[in-house]
Amino acid sequence: MSQDSIVVGKLGAPHGIKGWLKVHSFTDDPEGIFDFSPWLINQQGKVETFEVADWRRSGKGFIAKFANINDRDEAMAYTHGEITVTESQIPELPQGEFYWRDLIGMSVVTNKGYSLGKVDDLMETGSNDVLVVKANNNDGFGKSERLLPFLTDSVILNVNAEAKEITVDWDPSF
């Protein structure tokens, strides 16, 4: 899979006999996955391009029909395939908003100049997103990881995408 493709979902089992497949969406708004076209389906390292001919809700999820798949046996070959799109298909965000994938790997520094480490992951909690910051090996406070709430203006003071650095107001002993 190329570097500029992004996983947005996964195909499930066939649905019915006419080539429909279950779709598990990883997009923020689950229906948003159908805004992308075409889909690149990655099945065990082999990538094929598909146009979604039709889709609809089914139970708690979705089902989709591809233009060139017309029966259950053809559909079965794509079960568990990753649904990816190219980076150019992802919409630009307004100033000051970021995709999680853009924040991972950024350095995190306090407003007093202390390096807390690098963003390793993000978590979604009920109230706000949380940065998982993997501390530097020689962390002066003996931390291996810190969890920082992604609260702009109070904790997150600045995200500099060019420098790949996030400035925070945070006590390093936490």
Side-chain angles (χ1 to χ4, degrees):
M1 191 161 62
S2 73
Q3 285 298 92
D4 69 345
S5 58
I6 297 153
V7 177
V8 294
K10 191 169 188 164
L11 293 173
H15 181 88
I17 60 170
K18 295 188 176 170
W20 289 74
L21 283 151
K22 290 182 180 167
V23 173
H24 305 285
S25 175
F26 302 159
T27 56
D28 219 16
D29 165 18
E31 280 188 19
I33 195 169
F34 298 105
D35 293 340
F36 300 112
S37 185
W39 285 357
L40 305 171
I41 305 300
N42 183 353
Q43 185 67 336
Q44 298 166 340
K46 184 174 162 232
V47 179
E48 291 183 60
T49 303
F50 287 98
E51 294 288 337
V52 176
D54 199 5
W55 68 273
R56 64 177 178 253
R57 281 197 169 278
S58 175
K60 290 183 178 164
F62 303 99
I63 56 174
K65 170 85 176 75
F66 296 114
N68 43 349
I69 296 179
N70 297 306
D71 68 45
R72 187 178 184 87
D73 291 341
E74 287 178 61
M76 184 73 77
Y78 297 97
T79 300
H80 306 303
E82 283 185 330
I83 303 166
T84 64
V85 295
T86 62
E87 198 161 305
S88 62
Q89 288 175 277
I90 303 289
E92 289 277 322
L93 289 174
Q95 186 72 31
E97 290 186 27
F98 304 91
Y99 288 111
W100 281 13
R101 64 187 170 82
D102 297 333
L103 299 175
I104 292 177
M106 284 192 174
S107 297
V108 181
V109 180
T110 68
N111 53 347
K112 298 191 175 43
Y114 187 84
S115 173
L116 297 175
K118 292 193 182 307
V119 178
D120 189 46
D121 199 3
L122 285 106
M123 297 186 309
E124 203 171 339
T125 65
S127 52
N128 52 269
D129 295 336
V130 174
L131 290 176
V132 179
V133 179
K134 186 171 175 30
N136 300 312
N137 290 337
N138 59 350
D139 187 79
F141 294 90
K143 302 286 185 190
S144 61
E145 151 179 301
R146 292 179 177 85
L147 303 178
L148 281 69
F150 198 91
L151 299 170
T152 51
D153 298 332
S154 62
V155 175
I156 307 298
L157 302 178
N158 184 42
V159 176
N160 183 332
E162 290 75 40
K164 293 211 161 289
E165 186 175 89
I166 301 170
T167 305
V168 296
D169 182 359
W170 194 255
D171 180 346
S173 65
F174 271 45

